[in-house]
Amino acid sequence: MSTPEPAKNSIQVIDRMMKLLDVLAEHADPVPLKQLAIETGLHPSTAHRILGAMSTSGFVERSDAGVYRLGIRLLELGSLVKSRISLRETAMPEMLKLHAATGESVNLGVRAGDEIVYVERTSSGRSAVRVVHIVGARAPLHTTATGKLFLVEDGPQKIKDYARRTGLPASTATSLTTLQALEKELDKVRRHGVAYDLDEVENGVRCIAAGIRDDSGELVAGLSLSTPSERFNPDWAPLIRQTADEISKALGYIPPPAR
């Protein structure tokens, strides 16, 4: 079966974009279009067209003199990747301690738009029950314990916006699918500092999560403990919160003085 032409063209454009970025990365000073075309082997009109699109997206900057350099968007993405790698490395020792203390799966999740993405996990291996929280898996904010932490951080208006935008789709029969139910649940999260997923993402799986903050006080991740429903123990909540606090402390977070 032949490759569809649009798909082939898209891959070709991406390949050319990467060539242009690689050449720009090799030069400390801005590079003229003609030189970029020569070093990448692209026709000047092709290079100009692709650079124009990359400039619009912030991946490349073009000066009035018609020379190009790498754009600020790459710095933003690089900083994001760096922070997440640092987060994973910092969190893992504490995740392993929590895993050893409970024997259950421990997850590290970060927000990506209206979803939680799981970027690290320790697996219990104690149950045949499939846990959805595998590395790279995604789930909606309103059904996940970690996602509820981020929704609380958003505040009332953004919670309403989220509900309207997503429609609060159900993953299981116990998923929260109305704004009223979600707001009631988030009020509990706000008061207790931990969040729960009670068979809301996957039947037979429950979670407890606590937030992780960086040195600026921003909520950057959630630490969650996943268990089969029959082994769920709400008494683990203080230990999960303590573990999340230790990770936050290692990231430079200083909690405000207690009132």
Side-chain angles (χ1 to χ4, degrees), residues 124-224:
S124 71
R126 289 178 52 189
S127 173
V129 175
R130 183 178 65 87
V131 177
V132 74
H133 301 162
I134 59 175
V135 173
R138 293 172 175 260
L141 297 177
H142 68 285
T143 61
T144 60
T146 292
K148 291 171 185 175
L149 297 170
F150 280 95
L151 286 172
V152 166
E153 201 78 359
D154 278 351
Q157 185 55 53
K158 287 187 177 180
I159 292 169
K160 290 182 174 68
D161 293 341
Y162 169 83
R164 183 168 51 251
R165 182 170 63 250
T166 64
L168 302 179
S171 298
T172 70
T174 57
S175 299
L176 303 175
T177 58
T178 68
L179 177 59
Q180 183 179 10
L182 179 61
E183 288 176 331
K184 184 177 179 180
E185 176 74 7
L186 295 180
D187 184 57
K188 294 178 184 177
V189 176
R190 193 177 292 109
R191 287 186 282 111
H192 298 294
V194 292
Y196 297 88
D197 154 21
L198 303 179
D199 302 85
E200 296 167 54
V201 173
E202 183 178 3
N203 288 318
V205 178
R206 297 188 172 188
C207 287
I208 310 174
I212 296 172
R213 297 183 181 274
D214 64 10
D215 58 344
S216 69
E218 180 183 356
L219 181 66
V220 293
L223 178 79
S224 63

Side-chain angles (χ1 to χ4, degrees), residues 24 26 58 66 74 94 110 112 128 133 135 147 161 170 194-195 209 218 221 225 235 240 244-246 256:
L24 287 169
E26 292 172 359
L74 292 170
E94 296 298 329
V110 299
H133 301 162
V135 173
D161 293 341
V194 292
E218 180 183 356
L225 188 78
D235 292 340
I240 295 163
D245 288 346
E246 287 297 321

Side-chain angles (χ1 to χ4, degrees), residues 36 54-55 59 62 75 116 123 174 181 194 212 249 257:
L36 283 170
M54 294 168 71
S55 298
F59 291 101
R62 181 182 185 277
L75 177 61
I116 290 299
S123 178
T174 57
V194 292
I212 296 172
K249 182 180 178 181

